[in-house]
Amino acid sequence: MPETIGPSSADQKSTLACLAEKSLMRTLEGGCSVPIGVETEWTPSGALRMNAIVVSLDGTQSVEDTITSRVQTVDEATALGEGLAARLVKAGAGEILNDINANRPPKD
């Protein structure tokens, strides 16, 4: 049986949106020092729309995409984030992220 969240519909929607965003960030290996933006919103029809962007450190390159899907379970939220991350990588975000990681200053 698919995992569901909490008793409140508003709480469930917030949790599912957050899990979708975290899934995207985890898949892209994003953190505080990587220029990745992600935004989610629930549409009037009840679907979750997720928009994300990956930008090079100098701002000269970027890849952006949006995906909308019905999301009612943790697995569906996770899949939505992973799916958008895969689309971004296919569109060129992988190269941007590889360049960022290759040119990152070493940690002290």
Side-chain angles (χ1 to χ4, degrees), residues 11-59:
D11 290 345
Q12 182 175 8
K13 284 185 168 190
S14 295
T15 299
L16 291 173
C18 181
L19 289 171
E21 291 177 6
K22 287 176 68 172
S23 175
L24 176 125
M25 295 296 288
R26 184 175 48 254
T27 302
L28 294 177
E29 298 179 9
C32 297
S33 62
V34 180
I36 299 173
V38 59
E39 175 185 42
T40 53
E41 69 175 328
W42 291 94
T43 67
S45 67
L48 183 61
R49 178 178 299 126
M50 177 184 284
N51 182 57
I53 187 169
V54 177
V55 182
S56 63
L57 289 178
D58 63 5

Side-chain angles (χ1 to χ4, degrees), residues 27-28 81-91:
T27 302
L28 294 177
E82 291 171 350
L84 183 53
R87 287 170 46 160
L88 290 166
V89 168
K90 186 175 181 181

Side-chain angles (χ1 to χ4, degrees), residues 65-95:
D65 199 356
T66 301
I67 191 170
T68 304
S69 181
R70 302 269 314 156
V71 173
Q72 297 177 321
T73 67
V74 170
D75 289 342
E76 290 171 345
T78 300
L80 182 67
E82 291 171 350
L84 183 53
R87 287 170 46 160
L88 290 166
V89 168
K90 186 175 181 181
E95 289 82 12

